[in-house]
């Protein structure tokens, strides 16, 4: 392929040099900040030979090239009359602001995603306690019951403190000031002061009684305001006094404002949302369930389901039950049913195996492999899942089926959430979702893959935006390995952690397997070792991306974290250089996982084979937890 011509084509199709405000490149793609994204011919670019894909993310227009991106970048720059050097952040974004609705969803998602393990674990314990109590296996007056209940209730009761930390982290302000704001309104003396409903005032201003335990919206608003106050005070305070003045003034302003105005307003908003949802299901239950159940998978795809999390928590906290969780569950079970329907209908052994395995995984509440890897791939099964979820949603809503705790995945592992008076209806609804979706998939059919065309294996896990890399490493081509006949390539784990499917990586370049196939790992330690015997052919300047070629000819990419290129090498310590020969287990990179995550970046790491045209499929070793040098997968030739 003529890289010079490709660069000219790309330059023309992004709207010409005059439309480029800035261009950089990472390990796999050209990253443009365009003056007007609308001037780029996205459709033609996607079909241009040498371009693997096009996406827009974070204000950037990204053209995915693959391993040859440094060569194309250099050719592109050579065809430009002006320098494409990086500009200040404000300029780099072209002054464009994120869509307000997208910003809200991004904010809610960013706040609640980190705390889900805490409330999920606590919710599961609440469900288990309810189960033990229902069957008479525990006495409600026993100390064991009291301790277990406290473990389950603790995260929810002190939710304002947990949310204070997470919200501040998302906003880039001091997490511990966020925690202190939540702790202030949860202090026993404040709780006692506001509980009786007597007249309370602060420096003459009325303080409205409000219950902050298990509340969500008041602390979100308060910490959001605190982020502005904190930054404003920081700007006008001398460096020697910042440590004392900034937190002191922020707390003295925000906590009273929260108690006088924000808290009551937040409670009103929260209660209004909860009451509105309950009114909808009490007065139009069947139709509400039909609509919400059928649309829930679409909400998950867009990320809009995170907006419902505060409503779910608030509903259970104030009413003791929630109508939305059962609908989320039947939507997930419907995806499982459709995947199982594909398994029954397909004549392709690999598709049957893939859909069956992802269907079983979806039954456990991990739906992304089934949704993205099977149902959406074949289209009609996804439609069948939406219809099946709508039918089941109408049923569970007609009988006012409720969840009584929040916790666990919305699959079989989340059954404790629905244990209560409407438990039987919930189980019937689950069966309807699975069976209806499977039958509809079988009836509607889909375009099956002929047996002669092997289907790549997908992994099970849950779906998170790809990483950018500022690679100034030499664009030395991958050492030419004969493409005559590839051999099976065993890929060993480069790190210790949890194995995830690529669908968990929220960058289409990885999640849609545009760059290659493989798996991702959520690391628990900060070290990367070589997964193969071979050569390091590229190492990003920022340290987050490593390119390898095995002695058998497999070209690989290890991409550490999401958007970690923005750290500009901070927290990364390379142990090899491009051109180094390595063996399985040789240390390639050390990184400070905790500091990277504190800085707001996920460390999920795709480990992919990029020259998949030489291989038929990727076969997982079947591990979910993995250690360095354990077999991760095999690329089958």
């Amino acid at each position: 392929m003529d890289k010079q011509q490709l660069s000219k084509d790309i330059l023309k199709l992004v709207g010409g040099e005059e439309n480029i405000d800035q261009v950089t490149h990472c390990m796999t793609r050209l990253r443009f900040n365009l003056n007007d994204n609308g001037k780029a011919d996205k459709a033609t670019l996607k079909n241009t030979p040498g371009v693997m894909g096009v996406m827009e993310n974070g204000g950037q227009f990204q053209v995915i090239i693959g391993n040859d991106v440094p060569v194309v970048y250099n050719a592109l720059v050579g065809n430009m009359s002006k320098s494409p050097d990086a500009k200040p952040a404000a300029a780099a974004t072209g002054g464009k602001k994120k869509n307000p609705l997208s910003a809200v969803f991004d904010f809610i998602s960013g706040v609640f995603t980190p705390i889900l393990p805490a409330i999920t674990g606590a919710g599961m314990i609440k469900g288990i306690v309810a189960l033990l109590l229902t069957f008479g296996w525990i006495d409600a007056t026993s100390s064991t019951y009291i301790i277990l209940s406290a473990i389950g209730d603790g995260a929810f009761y002190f939710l304002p403190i947990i949310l204070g930390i997470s919200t501040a982290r998302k906003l880039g302000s001091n997490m511990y000031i966020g925690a202190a704001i939540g702790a202030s309104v949860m202090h026993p003396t404040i709780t006692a002061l506001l509980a009786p409903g007597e007249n309370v005032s602060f420096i003459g201003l009325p303080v409205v009684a409000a219950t902050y335990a298990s509340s969500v919206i008041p602390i979100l608003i308060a910490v959001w305001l605190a982020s502005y106050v904190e930054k404003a005070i920081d700007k006008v305070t001398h460096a020697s006094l910042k440590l004392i003045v900034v937190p002191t003034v922020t707390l003295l302003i925000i906590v009273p404002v929260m108690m006088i105005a924000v808290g009551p307003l937040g409670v009103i908003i929260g209660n209004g949302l909860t009451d509105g949802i309950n009114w909808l299901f009490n007065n139009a239950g069947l139709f509400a369930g039909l609509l919400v159940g059928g649309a829930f998978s679409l909400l998950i795809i867009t990320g809009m389901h995170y907006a419902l999390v505060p409503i779910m928590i608030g509903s259970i906290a104030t009413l003791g039950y929630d109508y939305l969780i059962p609908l989320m569950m039947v939507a997930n079970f419907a995806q499982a049913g459709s995947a199982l329907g594909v398994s029954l209908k397909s004549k392709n052994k690999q598709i049957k195996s893939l859909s069956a395995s992802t269907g079983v995984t979806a039954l456990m509440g991990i739906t992304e492999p089934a949704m993205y890897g099977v149902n959406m791939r074949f289209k009609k099964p996804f439609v069948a899942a939406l219809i099946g979820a709508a039918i089941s949603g109408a049923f569970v809503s007609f009988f006012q089926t409720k969840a009584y705790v929040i916790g666990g995945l919305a699959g079989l592992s989340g059954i404790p959430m629905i244990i209560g008076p409407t438990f039987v209806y919930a189980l019937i609804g689950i069966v309807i979702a699975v069976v209806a979706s499977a039958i509809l998939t079988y009836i509607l059919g889909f375009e099956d893959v002929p047996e002669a065309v092997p289907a790549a294996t997908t992994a099970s896990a849950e779906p998170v935006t790809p990483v950018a890399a500022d690679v100034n490493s030499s664009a030395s081509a991958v050492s030419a390995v004969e493409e005559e006949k590839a051999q099976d390539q065993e890929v060993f784990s480069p790190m210790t952690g949890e194995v995830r499917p690529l669908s968990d990586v929220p960058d289409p370049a990885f999640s849609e397997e545009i760059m290659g196939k493989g798996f991702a790992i959520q690391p628990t330690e900060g070290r990367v070792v070589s997964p193969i015997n071979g050569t390091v052919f590229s190492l990003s300047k920022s340290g987050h991306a490593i390119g390898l070629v095995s002695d058998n000819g497999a070209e690989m990419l290890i991409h550490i974290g999401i958007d970690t290129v923005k750290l500009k090498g901070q927290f990364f310590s390379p142990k090899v250089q491009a051109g180094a020969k390595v063996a399985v287990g040789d240390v390639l990179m050390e990184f400070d996982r905790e500091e990277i995550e504190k800085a707001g970046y996920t460390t999920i790491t795709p480990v992919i084979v990029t020259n998949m045209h030489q291989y038929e499929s990727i076969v997982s070793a079947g591990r979910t937890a993995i250690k360095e040098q354990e077999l991760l997968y095999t690329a089958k030739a």
Side-chain angles (χ1 to χ4, degrees), residues 351-385:
I351 294 296
K352 289 177 77 72
S353 175
L354 171 64
S355 53
S357 62
T358 57
V360 171
T361 304
L363 289 175
M364 298 306 298
I366 305 171
T367 59
E368 284 75 16
M371 186 187 302
Y372 294 101
V374 177
N375 299 339
M376 292 182 68
R377 174 182 175 185
F378 293 112
K379 299 181 178 63
K380 288 183 180 179
F382 183 69
V383 174

Side-chain angles (χ1 to χ4, degrees), residues 31 35 45 47 56 113 214 226 279 321 339 357 404 436-437 452 499 511 516 552 556 569 573:
R31 294 173 169 270
N35 296 316
L45 265 172
N47 295 317
E56 295 181 55
T113 299
S214 302
W279 180 90
Y321 58 81
S357 62
Y404 300 91
S437 299
V499 179
S511 62
N552 291 336
M556 300 199 60
S573 178

Side-chain angles (χ1 to χ4, degrees), residues 7-65:
S7 68
K8 291 179 180 178
D9 292 341
I10 292 173
L11 184 61
K12 177 181 178 182
L13 292 171
V14 296
E17 182 177 347
E18 64 278 4
N19 195 38
I20 300 175
D21 184 61
Q22 177 195 358
V23 58
T24 58
H25 76 93
C26 65
M27 199 80 169
T28 59
R29 69 198 73 189
L30 297 170
R31 294 173 169 270
F32 293 93
N33 292 110
L34 301 179
N35 296 316
D36 184 357
N37 285 2
K39 291 183 178 180
D41 189 343
K42 198 171 181 179
T44 304
L45 265 172
K46 285 182 177 179
N47 295 317
T48 299
V51 174
M52 302 175 72
V54 178
M55 62 177 288
E56 295 181 55
N57 182 42
Q60 285 189 332
F61 188 88
Q62 302 174 6
V63 181
I64 303 168
I65 302 296

Side-chain angles (χ1 to χ4, degrees), residues 105-150:
F105 290 139
D106 175 69
F107 172 68
I108 295 174
S109 172
V111 169
F112 281 94
T113 299
I115 71 168
L116 284 179
I119 61 177
T120 294
M124 285 297 293
I125 292 170
K126 286 168 68 71
I128 292 169
V129 171
L131 188 64
L132 295 174
L133 199 60
T134 299
F135 287 98
W137 296 337
I138 194 171
D139 189 341
T141 61
S142 69
S143 57
T144 300
Y145 172 81
I146 293 171
I147 292 172
L148 286 175
S149 296

